[in-house]
Amino acid sequence: MNTVLALWIRGLKAFIRNKTGLIFSLIFPFFFVYVFGAIFKNDFIENPIAYMLSGVIITTVFESSLNLASSTVDDMVSGFMKEVLVSPAKRIAVAMGQILSAATVSTLQGILILVIGLFIGIKFTHWTTPLYILISMISIGIVFSGVGLFMATKVRNGQTFQIVKTAVTMPLTFLSGAYIPLSMLPGTLRYVAYINPMTYATAFFRMIVLEKTNLSAVELVKEGLAIDINGFIVTPVMSFALILIIGLVFLLLSTISFVKTDFSRLNRSATDANALWG
Amino acid sequence: MTPIIEVKNFTKRYGDFTAVNDISFSVEEGTIFAFLGPNGAGKSTTINTLCTIFEKTSGTLFIDGKDVTDQKSEVRAAIGVVFQDSTLDAKMTIEENLKMHCVFYHIPKKEVEERIQFVLKLVDLLGERKKPVGALSGGMKRRVEIARGLIHYPKVLFLDEPTTGLDPQTRAHIWEYIIKLQKERNITIFLTTHYMEEAEICNKIAIIDGGTIVAHDTPYALKKMYTKDKAYIATKDETKLEQLLVQYDLEYVKKDGYYKVEAENLDRLLQVLSIHKEDITNIEIRKGTFNDVFLEITGKKIREED
C-alpha cells in the first residue's frame, strides 16, 4: 500500500512542478472550445459553449490519463523503472500507483477546465451534478490510465511509440463527438465512431454536465447524447456500463502485462536510447 | 564459512548466442570482488542475473543462501545495486529519491531520516539533499546512487562500472567510499570495471573473456603469475649492446630507441649492464601492470585505446 501511495504522490508532484505543461494543457482546450464552438453553432444545441466544454473536458481527461503510457516509457528510458524492478516492491503495487496517479492528474486537469468553464457558460442547477461529474472523470481517468499502462508494457521502440500514440489518440479524440457532432460525420467515419470507446464516454459525460438525465431516449439521440446505431439506441447508462467493462478488461490486462513484462530486454546504453527497445 | 555469493555452472544464452558459458565462482563475505573483462565479455549479463533482472538459462546462483531464481524478493531485499547508467528519478530531489527507495524496501518510517543522514554523510552530500537530481553532475549522481544503494543496509552491493565516465578525481573519491564501506560496515562489494588500476584494490578478481572465467585469484597472485618486470635500456652503442644481449641469451625488443629486456634472468642482465655501463645513456625498470596480466591471459588489451 505504501508503494502505491508513494508513486501516487510522485505523480502529483511531477504534475505540479511542470508549470509549462500545466499552462499548455489549459490553453489547448479553450482554443478548441473557441474554434469548434464557432464552427458548429446550430439550432438544436441550446448552449454551444457548455456543449463544447463538456466534450473538451472529457477529452482532456482521456488524453491526460492515456499519457501514462508516455510517462511510464520515460521512466523506463530514464532508468527509474529498473530501480523499481530490482527492489522488493510488488509490481502490482507499482502498476496500481502509476494508474491512480495518472487518473488523479487527469481528473485535476478536468476540474481546472470545469472551474474556468463555470465562468463562461456552464451552469449547474442540481447540487448532485458536480458529484456525478467528479465520479465520471475519475472512472474514465482510471479506465484510460489502464489502457495507457498496457500500451507502455508493449513498447519496444521509444521513438515509434510517440508516433503510434499520436496516431491512436488523434482519431479517437476527433471521432468521439467531443468536437464534431457525430451527425456531421460522413457514413464510414460514423461507423468508426461507433466502435470508439471515447464516443460513449463523451455522450455519457455530456449528458451529466448538461443535466439532461431526465430526457427520453429519442430526445437524447436528437441532442447527440445517445448513440443511434441503425435504430439501436445506446443510452448514456449503457455507455457508462460499456466504458466500465472496457476499463476492467484493460486494468486486468495492463496489470498482468506489467507484472509479467520481461524487462530483461531493457538494455540501455547512454548514447543510444533506441537500443533499449530494439 | 559459506560464501555470500555462490555461482555454479551458470550459463546464459540469447537464442543461439551464448553470453555466459558455464561459469562458477564464489565471493566471501566482507570482501571486494571485481569482475574484469572487455565489453561484451559477459560481465553485465552475470551482474544482471545476480540482481534478479535477467533469467538464467541454467546453473545455480545463490546470494546469502537465497536462490536468485526462486527467492527473488528475499534476494532483492539483501542486495543494493548501482547500475552502469543512472536509474535516479531526475525530476525529484536527492532526498525524495532516497525516501522513495525506503518505501520500496519497506524501511520503517521512524528510521528513514536517520538512514538518509547516514548515507548522505558517507558520500559527502548532506548539504545537497534538497537539490533536484537532474541538476547534479555525473559524479554527484553516482554518489547519490551509491548512497541509495546502501540505505536499506544490503549485505551485498553490486556496482556495475561505478567509475566509468568520471574524472580521475571523482573516481578516486568513489573508491574512498567503497573502501570505507567495506571496512566500516563489512559489506560485500561486487563490482565490474575495465580500469586495471582499480582492480588492484580488490581482494579477489575474476577475469572474464568470451563468456568464461579465464583467471580467478587475488590481484597479487595474478600479477606474480602473469607479469614480469622489464628493463628499458638506451645506449650510445647499439651494435655492442645487441651483441652482448645475444651472447648472454637475453631476449630483447627494440622500440623507440629503447631495448626492452625482461628482468627475470636478473644475474645475466646485471652482467650485461656492468660490462656495458660506459655506454648506457638511460635505464628504467618497470613493474608489471594489470594490463600485462590481462594481455597475457586473454591475448588482447582490455580497451583498444590503451
Side-chain angles (χ1 to χ4, degrees), chain B residues 122-274:
Chain B
L122 191 82
V123 296
D124 293 328
L125 283 174
L126 211 47
E128 344 283 313
R129 59 186 288 176
K130 302 276 184 200
K131 280 193 183 163
V133 164
L136 302 178
S137 69
M140 278 167 123
K141 277 186 193 159
R142 202 60 59 89
R143 274 146 69 193
V144 175
E145 292 206 64
I146 292 178
R148 190 182 60 177
L150 290 170
I151 203 164
H152 57 283
Y153 298 162
K155 293 203 162 169
V156 183
L157 180 65
F158 287 93
L159 302 165
D160 197 0
E161 313 224 341
T163 55
T164 302
L166 301 180
D167 61 79
Q169 211 182 347
T170 316
R171 270 168 60 194
H173 275 304
I174 300 272
W175 271 102
E176 260 172 50
Y177 306 132
I178 293 175
I179 293 165
K180 196 153 78 175
L181 264 179
Q182 183 219 6
K183 287 213 176 106
E184 287 176 12
R185 298 205 61 90
N186 198 36
I187 289 180
T188 311
I189 293 159
F190 184 114
L191 61 96
T192 67
T193 180
H194 58 227
Y195 290 113
M196 289 297 137
E197 61 277 19
E198 292 185 345
E200 299 185 44
I201 307 168
C202 305
N203 301 99
K204 275 268 178 72
I205 290 169
I207 294 179
I208 185 165
D209 188 33
T212 54
I213 291 180
V214 287
H216 180 197
D217 216 323
T218 62
Y220 178 74
L222 287 174
K223 247 172 140 174
K224 207 172 162 196
M225 203 179 314
Y226 293 103
T227 67
K228 297 169 189 105
D229 296 344
K230 292 180 184 74
Y232 289 77
I233 309 161
T235 177
K236 281 186 279 189
D237 191 343
E238 295 193 344
T239 1
K240 197 175 154 200
L241 181 62
E242 278 174 30
Q243 272 175 1
L244 274 168
L245 288 171
V246 174
Q247 192 186 328
Y248 281 86
D249 194 23
L250 288 165
E251 277 184 34
Y252 67 88
V253 180
K254 192 185 168 194
K255 200 186 166 196
D256 304 331
Y258 277 87
Y259 288 84
K260 186 172 95 177
V261 185
E262 287 190 353
E264 56 176 342
N265 303 308
L266 202 59
D267 296 351
R268 280 182 280 155
L269 181 62
L270 284 174
Q271 277 177 311
V272 171
L273 292 176
S274 61

Side-chain angles (χ1 to χ4, degrees), chain A residues 117-145:
Chain A
L118 285 175
F119 294 100
I120 60 166
I122 293 183
K123 276 189 183 58
F124 301 134
T125 49
H126 303 291
W127 67 271
T128 45
T129 309
L131 199 70
Y132 287 140
I133 289 179
L134 192 67
I135 294 171
S136 0
M137 284 199 291
I138 294 174
S139 335
I140 290 165
I142 291 178
V143 167
F144 288 103
S145 301

Side-chain angles (χ1 to χ4, degrees), chain A residues 10 13 17 78-79 83 268, chain B residues 85-87 89 96 101:
Chain A
R10 173 177 179 264
K13 275 187 184 162
R17 284 177 195 176
S78 81
E83 137 85 356
R268 180 174 52 122
Chain B
D85 303 307
S86 168
T87 62
D89 189 350
E96 285 167 331
H101 188 87

Side-chain angles (χ1 to χ4, degrees), chain A:
Chain A
M1 199 57 221
N2 255 335
T3 303
V4 180
L5 190 69
L7 285 168
W8 183 73
I9 293 170
R10 173 177 179 264
L12 285 186
K13 275 187 184 162
F15 169 66
I16 293 162
R17 284 177 195 176
N18 185 3
K19 302 262 174 353
T20 330
L22 185 64
I23 290 166
F24 273 92
S25 73
L26 290 179
I27 291 177
F28 270 111
F30 287 99
F31 174 73
F32 278 126
V33 170
Y34 178 72
V35 171
F36 287 97
I39 296 173
F40 301 112
K41 246 184 204 142
N42 57 32
D43 300 335
F44 53 86
I45 297 168
E46 48 184 273
N47 184 349
I49 295 290
Y51 184 89
M52 278 313 296
L53 265 174
S54 57
V56 164
I57 290 170
I58 204 61
T59 320
T60 305
V61 173
F62 161 73
E63 283 177 352
S64 166
S65 53
L66 212 55
N67 233 355
L68 177 60
S70 304
S71 60
T72 306
V73 169
D74 281 350
D75 285 342
M76 291 175 184
V77 175
S78 81
F80 178 70
M81 262 312 144
K82 212 170 169 184
E83 137 85 356
V84 178
L85 297 173
V86 287
S87 79
K90 295 258 181 303
R91 279 199 189 188
I92 187 157
V94 177
M96 287 300 128
Q98 292 284 80
I99 288 174
L100 286 181
S101 83
T104 311
V105 166
S106 56
T107 305
L108 283 177
Q109 282 187 298
I111 290 173
L112 280 175
I113 300 170
L114 184 70
V115 168
I116 301 174
L118 285 175
F119 294 100
I120 60 166
I122 293 183
K123 276 189 183 58
F124 301 134
T125 49
H126 303 291
W127 67 271
T128 45
T129 309
L131 199 70
Y132 287 140
I133 289 179
L134 192 67
I135 294 171
S136 0
M137 284 199 291
I138 294 174
S139 335
I140 290 165
I142 291 178
V143 167
F144 288 103
S145 301
V147 177
L149 190 67
F150 181 72
M151 282 166 73
T153 61
K154 296 296 167 206
V155 167
R156 282 290 166 263
N157 184 315
Q159 275 161 4
T160 41
F161 168 72
Q162 286 305 330
I163 300 163
V164 171
K165 202 192 131 225
T166 318
V168 171
T169 37
M170 284 297 274
L172 287 186
T173 314
F174 280 97
L175 299 178
S176 68
Y179 301 138
I180 309 158
L182 289 187
S183 53
M184 290 186 164
L185 291 176
T188 337
L189 285 183
R190 207 177 303 158
Y191 283 101
V192 179
Y194 291 155
I195 56 163
N196 176 3
M198 268 307 287
T199 306
Y200 303 96
T202 306
F204 174 76
F205 188 75
R206 186 165 275 158
M207 177 194 76
I208 289 177
V209 175
L210 300 179
E211 297 183 315
K212 304 273 181 176
T213 26
N214 310 325
L215 296 191
S216 73
V218 183
E219 286 170 305
L220 284 172
V221 172
K222 207 178 117 205
E223 299 219 9
L225 299 174
I227 295 106
D228 181 357
I229 307 174
N230 294 339
F232 178 77
I233 296 170
V234 185
T235 62
V237 179
M238 284 162 75
S239 299
F240 192 64
L242 204 68
I243 291 293
L244 286 189
I245 292 166
I246 295 171
L248 279 178
V249 170
F250 270 98
L251 277 183
L252 213 65
L253 276 179
S254 65
T255 316
I256 292 171
S257 177
F258 189 80
V259 172
K260 280 193 178 166
T261 299
D262 179 14
F263 286 95
S264 72
R265 289 187 57 128
L266 298 187
N267 235 329
R268 180 174 52 122
S269 82
T271 47
D272 186 13
N274 227 8
L276 166 63
W277 313 101

